[in-house]
PDB file of all heavy atoms in Angstrom:
ATOM      1  N   PHE A 391     -22.878-148.294   3.028  1.00 98.00           N
ATOM      2  CA  PHE A 391     -23.395-149.609   3.441  1.00 98.00           C
ATOM      3  C   PHE A 391     -22.795-150.726   2.576  1.00 98.00           C
ATOM      4  O   PHE A 391     -23.524-151.479   1.913  1.00 98.00           O
ATOM      5  CB  PHE A 391     -24.928-149.646   3.306  1.00 98.00           C
ATOM      6  CG  PHE A 391     -25.632-148.451   3.881  1.00 98.00           C
ATOM      7  CD1 PHE A 391     -26.274-147.531   3.056  1.00 98.00           C
ATOM      8  CD2 PHE A 391     -25.665-148.236   5.260  1.00 98.00           C
ATOM      9  CE1 PHE A 391     -26.933-146.424   3.591  1.00 98.00           C
ATOM     10  CE2 PHE A 391     -26.313-147.130   5.802  1.00 98.00           C
ATOM     11  CZ  PHE A 391     -26.947-146.222   4.968  1.00 98.00           C
ATOM     12  N   PRO A 392     -21.466-150.858   2.578  1.00 98.00           N
ATOM     13  CA  PRO A 392     -20.833-151.810   1.642  1.00 98.00           C
ATOM     14  C   PRO A 392     -21.303-153.256   1.805  1.00 98.00           C
ATOM     15  O   PRO A 392     -21.355-154.002   0.821  1.00 98.00           O
ATOM     16  CB  PRO A 392     -19.335-151.676   1.957  1.00 98.00           C
ATOM     17  CG  PRO A 392     -19.245-150.984   3.278  1.00 98.00           C
ATOM     18  CD  PRO A 392     -20.473-150.155   3.421  1.00 98.00           C
ATOM     19  N   ASN A 393     -21.684-153.624   3.039  1.00 98.00           N
ATOM     20  CA  ASN A 393     -22.101-155.016   3.260  1.00 98.00           C
ATOM     21  C   ASN A 393     -23.506-155.302   2.775  1.00 98.00           C
ATOM     22  O   ASN A 393     -23.963-156.442   2.836  1.00 98.00           O
ATOM     23  CB  ASN A 393     -22.004-155.364   4.750  1.00 98.00           C
ATOM     24  CG  ASN A 393     -20.567-155.318   5.211  1.00 98.00           C
ATOM     25  OD1 ASN A 393     -19.666-155.642   4.427  1.00 98.00           O
ATOM     26  ND2 ASN A 393     -20.349-154.895   6.441  1.00 98.00           N
ATOM     27  N   ARG A 394     -24.207-154.254   2.325  1.00 98.00           N
ATOM     28  CA  ARG A 394     -25.584-154.459   1.857  1.00 98.00           C
ATOM     29  C   ARG A 394     -25.653-154.496   0.328  1.00 98.00           C
ATOM     30  O   ARG A 394     -26.746-154.462  -0.234  1.00 98.00           O
ATOM     31  CB  ARG A 394     -26.490-153.346   2.406  1.00 98.00           C
ATOM     32  CG  ARG A 394     -26.448-153.195   3.925  1.00 98.00           C
ATOM     33  CD  ARG A 394     -27.017-154.396   4.672  1.00 98.00           C
ATOM     34  NE  ARG A 394     -28.456-154.490   4.538  1.00 98.00           N
ATOM     35  CZ  ARG A 394     -29.335-153.875   5.337  1.00 98.00           C
ATOM     36  NH1 ARG A 394     -28.910-153.134   6.336  1.00 98.00           N
ATOM     37  NH2 ARG A 394     -30.632-154.012   5.157  1.00 98.00           N
ATOM     38  N   VAL A 395     -24.497-154.540  -0.329  1.00 98.00           N
ATOM     39  CA  VAL A 395     -24.499-154.523  -1.797  1.00 98.00           C
ATOM     40  C   VAL A 395     -24.386-155.937  -2.353  1.00 98.00           C
ATOM     41  O   VAL A 395     -23.364-156.596  -2.204  1.00 98.00           O
ATOM     42  CB  VAL A 395     -23.332-153.670  -2.347  1.00 98.00           C
ATOM     43  CG1 VAL A 395     -23.283-153.743  -3.874  1.00 98.00           C
ATOM     44  CG2 VAL A 395     -23.461-152.226  -1.877  1.00 98.00           C
ATOM     45  N   ASP A 396     -25.463-156.408  -2.981  1.00 98.00           N
ATOM     46  CA  ASP A 396     -25.427-157.727  -3.618  1.00 98.00           C
ATOM     47  C   ASP A 396     -25.110-157.597  -5.106  1.00 98.00           C
ATOM     48  O   ASP A 396     -24.349-158.385  -5.661  1.00 98.00           O
ATOM     49  CB  ASP A 396     -26.766-158.432  -3.416  1.00 98.00           C
ATOM     50  CG  ASP A 396     -26.771-159.811  -4.041  1.00 98.00           C
ATOM     51  OD1 ASP A 396     -25.782-160.553  -3.839  1.00 98.00           O
ATOM     52  OD2 ASP A 396     -27.745-160.139  -4.754  1.00 98.00           O
ATOM     53  N   ARG A 397     -25.736-156.596  -5.780  1.00 98.00           N
ATOM     54  CA  ARG A 397     -25.377-156.274  -7.163  1.00 98.00           C
ATOM     55  C   ARG A 397     -25.444-154.764  -7.308  1.00 98.00           C
ATOM     56  O   ARG A 397     -26.379-154.136  -6.809  1.00 98.00           O
ATOM     57  CB  ARG A 397     -26.383-156.859  -8.170  1.00 98.00           C
ATOM     58  CG  ARG A 397     -26.543-158.356  -8.153  1.00 98.00           C
ATOM     59  CD  ARG A 397     -25.382-159.068  -8.837  1.00 98.00           C
ATOM     60  NE  ARG A 397     -25.698-160.480  -8.957  1.00 98.00           N
ATOM     61  CZ  ARG A 397     -25.427-161.398  -8.025  1.00 98.00           C
ATOM     62  NH1 ARG A 397     -24.806-161.058  -6.901  1.00 98.00           N
ATOM     63  NH2 ARG A 397     -25.777-162.656  -8.208  1.00 98.00           N
ATOM     64  N   MET A 398     -24.470-154.200  -8.016  1.00 98.00           N
ATOM     65  CA  MET A 398     -24.533-152.767  -8.303  1.00 98.00           C
ATOM     66  C   MET A 398     -23.882-152.510  -9.644  1.00 98.00           C
ATOM     67  O   MET A 398     -22.675-152.699  -9.800  1.00 98.00           O
ATOM     68  CB  MET A 398     -23.845-151.954  -7.198  1.00 98.00           C
ATOM     69  CG  MET A 398     -23.918-150.459  -7.460  1.00 98.00           C
ATOM     70  SD  MET A 398     -23.297-149.444  -6.102  1.00 98.00           S
ATOM     71  CE  MET A 398     -24.628-149.579  -4.911  1.00 98.00           C
ATOM     72  N   LEU A 399     -24.698-152.110 -10.608  1.00 98.00           N
ATOM     73  CA  LEU A 399     -24.165-151.749 -11.914  1.00 98.00           C
ATOM     74  C   LEU A 399     -24.329-150.246 -12.083  1.00 98.00           C
ATOM     75  O   LEU A 399     -25.440-149.723 -11.973  1.00 98.00           O
ATOM     76  CB  LEU A 399     -24.887-152.493 -13.042  1.00 98.00           C
ATOM     77  CG  LEU A 399     -24.233-152.293 -14.422  1.00 98.00           C
ATOM     78  CD1 LEU A 399     -24.463-153.502 -15.317  1.00 98.00           C
ATOM     79  CD2 LEU A 399     -24.706-151.029 -15.132  1.00 98.00           C
ATOM     80  N   LEU A 400     -23.220-149.559 -12.331  1.00 98.00           N
ATOM     81  CA  LEU A 400     -23.254-148.109 -12.498  1.00 98.00           C
ATOM     82  C   LEU A 400     -22.853-147.786 -13.932  1.00 98.00           C
ATOM     83  O   LEU A 400     -21.793-148.194 -14.397  1.00 98.00           O
ATOM     84  CB  LEU A 400     -22.347-147.439 -11.460  1.00 98.00           C
ATOM     85  CG  LEU A 400     -22.674-147.843 -10.006  1.00 98.00           C
ATOM     86  CD1 LEU A 400     -21.743-147.141  -9.012  1.00 98.00           C
ATOM     87  CD2 LEU A 400     -24.141-147.580  -9.658  1.00 98.00           C
ATOM     88  N   ASP A 401     -23.721-147.059 -14.615  1.00 98.00           N
ATOM     89  CA  ASP A 401     -23.659-146.877 -16.065  1.00 98.00           C
ATOM     90  C   ASP A 401     -23.617-145.381 -16.390  1.00 98.00           C
ATOM     91  O   ASP A 401     -24.521-144.643 -16.003  1.00 98.00           O
ATOM     92  CB  ASP A 401     -24.934-147.534 -16.648  1.00 98.00           C
ATOM     93  CG  ASP A 401     -25.110-147.308 -18.134  1.00 98.00           C
ATOM     94  OD1 ASP A 401     -24.147-146.921 -18.816  1.00 98.00           O
ATOM     95  OD2 ASP A 401     -26.243-147.538 -18.621  1.00 98.00           O
ATOM     96  N   GLY A 402     -22.569-144.929 -17.098  1.00 97.00           N
ATOM     97  CA  GLY A 402     -22.430-143.488 -17.359  1.00 97.00           C
ATOM     98  C   GLY A 402     -22.010-142.833 -16.057  1.00 97.00           C
ATOM     99  O   GLY A 402     -22.792-142.153 -15.416  1.00 97.00           O
ATOM    100  N   VAL A 403     -20.750-143.064 -15.679  1.00 98.00           N
ATOM    101  CA  VAL A 403     -20.323-142.977 -14.278  1.00 98.00           C
ATOM    102  C   VAL A 403     -19.692-141.630 -13.933  1.00 98.00           C
ATOM    103  O   VAL A 403     -18.935-141.062 -14.725  1.00 98.00           O
ATOM    104  CB  VAL A 403     -19.282-144.095 -14.017  1.00 98.00           C
ATOM    105  CG1 VAL A 403     -18.794-144.072 -12.581  1.00 98.00           C
ATOM    106  CG2 VAL A 403     -19.877-145.471 -14.365  1.00 98.00           C
ATOM    107  N   VAL A 404     -19.979-141.160 -12.720  1.00 97.00           N
ATOM    108  CA  VAL A 404     -19.250-140.003 -12.189  1.00 97.00           C
ATOM    109  C   VAL A 404     -18.271-140.469 -11.111  1.00 97.00           C
ATOM    110  O   VAL A 404     -18.525-141.431 -10.405  1.00 97.00           O
ATOM    111  CB  VAL A 404     -20.192-138.934 -11.605  1.00 97.00           C
ATOM    112  CG1 VAL A 404     -21.135-138.411 -12.673  1.00 97.00           C
ATOM    113  CG2 VAL A 404     -20.991-139.452 -10.419  1.00 97.00           C
ATOM    114  N   ASP A 405     -17.153-139.772 -11.025  1.00 98.00           N
ATOM    115  CA  ASP A 405     -16.171-140.010  -9.962  1.00 98.00           C
ATOM    116  C   ASP A 405     -16.753-139.446  -8.665  1.00 98.00           C
ATOM    117  O   ASP A 405     -17.026-138.247  -8.588  1.00 98.00           O
ATOM    118  CB  ASP A 405     -14.866-139.284 -10.356  1.00 98.00           C
ATOM    119  CG  ASP A 405     -13.799-139.309  -9.264  1.00 98.00           C
ATOM    120  OD1 ASP A 405     -14.118-139.644  -8.104  1.00 98.00           O
ATOM    121  OD2 ASP A 405     -12.651-138.962  -9.582  1.00 98.00           O
ATOM    122  N   PRO A 406     -16.969-140.285  -7.625  1.00 98.00           N
ATOM    123  CA  PRO A 406     -17.661-139.788  -6.424  1.00 98.00           C
ATOM    124  C   PRO A 406     -16.921-138.636  -5.748  1.00 98.00           C
ATOM    125  O   PRO A 406     -17.555-137.740  -5.191  1.00 98.00           O
ATOM    126  CB  PRO A 406     -17.711-141.011  -5.502  1.00 98.00           C
ATOM    127  CG  PRO A 406     -16.677-141.956  -6.005  1.00 98.00           C
ATOM    128  CD  PRO A 406     -16.572-141.697  -7.489  1.00 98.00           C
ATOM    129  N   ASN A 407     -15.589-138.652  -5.813  1.00 97.00           N
ATOM    130  CA  ASN A 407     -14.837-137.584  -5.148  1.00 97.00           C
ATOM    131  C   ASN A 407     -14.965-136.250  -5.884  1.00 97.00           C
ATOM    132  O   ASN A 407     -14.917-135.190  -5.271  1.00 97.00           O
ATOM    133  CB  ASN A 407     -13.361-137.979  -4.998  1.00 97.00           C
ATOM    134  CG  ASN A 407     -13.209-139.088  -3.956  1.00 97.00           C
ATOM    135  OD1 ASN A 407     -13.549-138.899  -2.803  1.00 97.00           O
ATOM    136  ND2 ASN A 407     -12.747-140.253  -4.397  1.00 97.00           N
ATOM    137  N   ILE A 408     -15.170-136.330  -7.194  1.00 97.00           N
ATOM    138  CA  ILE A 408     -15.381-135.105  -7.967  1.00 97.00           C
ATOM    139  C   ILE A 408     -16.836-134.643  -7.790  1.00 97.00           C
ATOM    140  O   ILE A 408     -17.125-133.457  -7.657  1.00 97.00           O
ATOM    141  CB  ILE A 408     -15.066-135.352  -9.461  1.00 97.00           C
ATOM    142  CG1 ILE A 408     -13.617-135.830  -9.639  1.00 97.00           C
ATOM    143  CG2 ILE A 408     -15.355-134.109 -10.284  1.00 97.00           C
ATOM    144  CD1 ILE A 408     -12.560-134.784  -9.499  1.00 97.00           C
ATOM    145  N   TRP A 409     -17.759-135.618  -7.768  1.00 97.00           N
ATOM    146  CA  TRP A 409     -19.166-135.286  -7.543  1.00 97.00           C
ATOM    147  C   TRP A 409     -19.338-134.518  -6.234  1.00 97.00           C
ATOM    148  O   TRP A 409     -20.057-133.521  -6.154  1.00 97.00           O
ATOM    149  CB  TRP A 409     -20.032-136.555  -7.515  1.00 97.00           C
ATOM    150  CG  TRP A 409     -21.451-136.219  -7.245  1.00 97.00           C
ATOM    151  CD1 TRP A 409     -22.093-136.211  -6.031  1.00 97.00           C
ATOM    152  CD2 TRP A 409     -22.406-135.758  -8.201  1.00 97.00           C
ATOM    153  NE1 TRP A 409     -23.378-135.783  -6.178  1.00 97.00           N
ATOM    154  CE2 TRP A 409     -23.594-135.495  -7.495  1.00 97.00           C
ATOM    155  CE3 TRP A 409     -22.366-135.541  -9.588  1.00 97.00           C
ATOM    156  CZ2 TRP A 409     -24.746-135.022  -8.129  1.00 97.00           C
ATOM    157  CZ3 TRP A 409     -23.503-135.072 -10.225  1.00 97.00           C
ATOM    158  CH2 TRP A 409     -24.678-134.821  -9.499  1.00 97.00           C
ATOM    159  N   LEU A 410     -18.672-134.992  -5.199  1.00 98.00           N
ATOM    160  CA  LEU A 410     -18.773-134.405  -3.868  1.00 98.00           C
ATOM    161  C   LEU A 410     -18.386-132.924  -3.880  1.00 98.00           C
ATOM    162  O   LEU A 410     -18.980-132.118  -3.175  1.00 98.00           O
ATOM    163  CB  LEU A 410     -17.857-135.184  -2.922  1.00 98.00           C
ATOM    164  CG  LEU A 410     -17.786-134.738  -1.472  1.00 98.00           C
ATOM    165  CD1 LEU A 410     -19.121-134.997  -0.782  1.00 98.00           C
ATOM    166  CD2 LEU A 410     -16.675-135.488  -0.740  1.00 98.00           C
ATOM    167  N   LEU A 411     -17.410-132.566  -4.685  1.00 97.00           N
ATOM    168  CA  LEU A 411     -16.998-131.162  -4.748  1.00 97.00           C
ATOM    169  C   LEU A 411     -18.129-130.306  -5.313  1.00 97.00           C
ATOM    170  O   LEU A 411     -18.409-129.226  -4.823  1.00 97.00           O
ATOM    171  CB  LEU A 411     -15.743-131.013  -5.609  1.00 97.00           C
ATOM    172  CG  LEU A 411     -14.484-131.670  -5.040  1.00 97.00           C
ATOM    173  CD1 LEU A 411     -13.358-131.653  -6.068  1.00 97.00           C
ATOM    174  CD2 LEU A 411     -14.053-130.955  -3.763  1.00 97.00           C
ATOM    175  N   GLY A 412     -18.757-130.803  -6.368  1.00 96.00           N
ATOM    176  CA  GLY A 412     -19.891-130.078  -6.930  1.00 96.00           C
ATOM    177  C   GLY A 412     -19.538-129.166  -8.090  1.00 96.00           C
ATOM    178  O   GLY A 412     -20.420-128.658  -8.758  1.00 96.00           O
ATOM    179  N   HIS A 413     -18.242-128.948  -8.359  1.00 93.00           N
ATOM    180  CA  HIS A 413     -17.930-128.097  -9.515  1.00 93.00           C
ATOM    181  C   HIS A 413     -17.721-128.914 -10.782  1.00 93.00           C
ATOM    182  O   HIS A 413     -17.476-128.360 -11.846  1.00 93.00           O
ATOM    183  CB  HIS A 413     -16.754-127.160  -9.241  1.00 93.00           C
ATOM    184  CG  HIS A 413     -15.469-127.863  -8.922  1.00 93.00           C
ATOM    185  ND1 HIS A 413     -14.953-128.880  -9.683  1.00 93.00           N
ATOM    186  CD2 HIS A 413     -14.594-127.697  -7.892  1.00 93.00           C
ATOM    187  CE1 HIS A 413     -13.816-129.300  -9.157  1.00 93.00           C
ATOM    188  NE2 HIS A 413     -13.583-128.607  -8.063  1.00 93.00           N
ATOM    189  N   ARG A 414     -17.803-130.226 -10.642  1.00 88.00           N
ATOM    190  CA  ARG A 414     -17.832-131.166 -11.757  1.00 88.00           C
ATOM    191  C   ARG A 414     -16.548-131.210 -12.579  1.00 88.00           C
ATOM    192  O   ARG A 414     -16.500-131.877 -13.608  1.00 88.00           O
ATOM    193  CB  ARG A 414     -19.028-130.877 -12.692  1.00 88.00           C
ATOM    194  CG  ARG A 414     -20.387-130.894 -12.010  1.00 88.00           C
ATOM    195  CD  ARG A 414     -20.827-132.257 -11.519  1.00 88.00           C
ATOM    196  NE  ARG A 414     -20.774-133.270 -12.541  1.00 88.00           N
ATOM    197  CZ  ARG A 414     -21.639-133.392 -13.517  1.00 88.00           C
ATOM    198  NH1 ARG A 414     -22.658-132.585 -13.604  1.00 88.00           N
ATOM    199  NH2 ARG A 414     -21.517-134.336 -14.402  1.00 88.00           N
ATOM    200  N   GLY A 415     -15.517-130.512 -12.141  1.00 87.00           N
ATOM    201  CA  GLY A 415     -14.200-130.613 -12.747  1.00 87.00           C
ATOM    202  C   GLY A 415     -14.243-130.891 -14.237  1.00 87.00           C
ATOM    203  O   GLY A 415     -14.596-130.036 -15.038  1.00 87.00           O
ATOM    204  N   ASN A 416     -13.935-132.108 -14.549  1.00 93.00           N
ATOM    205  CA  ASN A 416     -13.648-132.541 -15.906  1.00 93.00           C
ATOM    206  C   ASN A 416     -14.799-133.092 -16.715  1.00 93.00           C
ATOM    207  O   ASN A 416     -14.568-133.797 -17.668  1.00 93.00           O
ATOM    208  CB  ASN A 416     -12.695-133.731 -15.744  1.00 93.00           C
ATOM    209  CG  ASN A 416     -11.315-133.363 -16.115  1.00 93.00           C
ATOM    210  OD1 ASN A 416     -11.142-132.400 -16.834  1.00 93.00           O
ATOM    211  ND2 ASN A 416     -10.356-134.129 -15.661  1.00 93.00           N
ATOM    212  N   PHE A 417     -16.042-132.824 -16.345  1.00 95.00           N
ATOM    213  CA  PHE A 417     -17.068-133.700 -16.903  1.00 95.00           C
ATOM    214  C   PHE A 417     -17.284-133.556 -18.406  1.00 95.00           C
ATOM    215  O   PHE A 417     -17.903-134.414 -19.024  1.00 95.00           O
ATOM    216  CB  PHE A 417     -18.367-133.612 -16.109  1.00 95.00           C
ATOM    217  CG  PHE A 417     -19.281-132.481 -16.460  1.00 95.00           C
ATOM    218  CD1 PHE A 417     -20.434-132.718 -17.185  1.00 95.00           C
ATOM    219  CD2 PHE A 417     -19.014-131.199 -16.043  1.00 95.00           C
ATOM    220  CE1 PHE A 417     -21.299-131.692 -17.496  1.00 95.00           C
ATOM    221  CE2 PHE A 417     -19.871-130.157 -16.345  1.00 95.00           C
ATOM    222  CZ  PHE A 417     -21.008-130.405 -17.085  1.00 95.00           C
ATOM    223  N   LEU A 418     -16.741-132.493 -19.029  1.00 95.00           N
ATOM    224  CA  LEU A 418     -16.885-132.384 -20.484  1.00 95.00           C
ATOM    225  C   LEU A 418     -15.648-132.897 -21.226  1.00 95.00           C
ATOM    226  O   LEU A 418     -15.457-132.583 -22.401  1.00 95.00           O
ATOM    227  CB  LEU A 418     -17.136-130.920 -20.872  1.00 95.00           C
ATOM    228  CG  LEU A 418     -18.424-130.288 -20.347  1.00 95.00           C
ATOM    229  CD1 LEU A 418     -18.586-128.876 -20.909  1.00 95.00           C
ATOM    230  CD2 LEU A 418     -19.638-131.131 -20.723  1.00 95.00           C
ATOM    231  N   VAL A 419     -14.847-133.701 -20.546  1.00 95.00           N
ATOM    232  CA  VAL A 419     -13.543-134.017 -21.121  1.00 95.00           C
ATOM    233  C   VAL A 419     -13.637-134.864 -22.404  1.00 95.00           C
ATOM    234  O   VAL A 419     -12.745-134.812 -23.250  1.00 95.00           O
ATOM    235  CB  VAL A 419     -12.621-134.635 -20.035  1.00 95.00           C
ATOM    236  CG1 VAL A 419     -12.817-136.108 -19.883  1.00 95.00           C
ATOM    237  CG2 VAL A 419     -11.173-134.292 -20.260  1.00 95.00           C
ATOM    238  N   ASP A 420     -14.726-135.603 -22.583  1.00 95.00           N
ATOM    239  CA  ASP A 420     -14.904-136.381 -23.820  1.00 95.00           C
ATOM    240  C   ASP A 420     -15.946-135.779 -24.768  1.00 95.00           C
ATOM    241  O   ASP A 420     -16.314-136.398 -25.774  1.00 95.00           O
ATOM    242  CB  ASP A 420     -15.302-137.833 -23.486  1.00 95.00           C
ATOM    243  CG  ASP A 420     -14.111-138.647 -22.972  1.00 95.00           C
ATOM    244  OD1 ASP A 420     -12.958-138.219 -23.159  1.00 95.00           O
ATOM    245  OD2 ASP A 420     -14.350-139.724 -22.379  1.00 95.00           O
ATOM    246  N   THR A 421     -16.439-134.603 -24.449  1.00 94.00           N
ATOM    247  CA  THR A 421     -17.516-134.031 -25.260  1.00 94.00           C
ATOM    248  C   THR A 421     -17.024-133.650 -26.656  1.00 94.00           C
ATOM    249  O   THR A 421     -17.753-133.796 -27.645  1.00 94.00           O
ATOM    250  CB  THR A 421     -18.141-132.817 -24.539  1.00 94.00           C
ATOM    251  OG1 THR A 421     -18.354-133.174 -23.176  1.00 94.00           O
ATOM    252  CG2 THR A 421     -19.473-132.454 -25.160  1.00 94.00           C
ATOM    253  N   ASP A 422     -15.790-133.197 -26.753  1.00 94.00           N
ATOM    254  CA  ASP A 422     -15.259-132.896 -28.080  1.00 94.00           C
ATOM    255  C   ASP A 422     -15.104-134.183 -28.907  1.00 94.00           C
ATOM    256  O   ASP A 422     -15.325-134.177 -30.119  1.00 94.00           O
ATOM    257  CB  ASP A 422     -13.920-132.153 -27.984  1.00 94.00           C
ATOM    258  CG  ASP A 422     -14.099-130.730 -27.451  1.00 94.00           C
ATOM    259  OD1 ASP A 422     -15.243-130.224 -27.456  1.00 94.00           O
ATOM    260  OD2 ASP A 422     -13.100-130.127 -27.016  1.00 94.00           O
TER     261      ASP A 422
END
Side-chain angles (χ1 to χ4, degrees):
F391 313 111
N393 295 327
R394 305 294 289 273
V395 176
D396 181 46
R397 300 283 188 272
M398 181 173 285
L399 188 151
L400 305 180
D401 174 16
V403 180
V404 299
D405 173 346
N407 289 299
I408 301 285
W409 178 266
L410 179 67
L411 294 171
H413 61 50
R414 303 292 307 285
N416 254 339
F417 83 105
L418 297 185
V419 85
D420 285 344
T421 314
D422 290 344

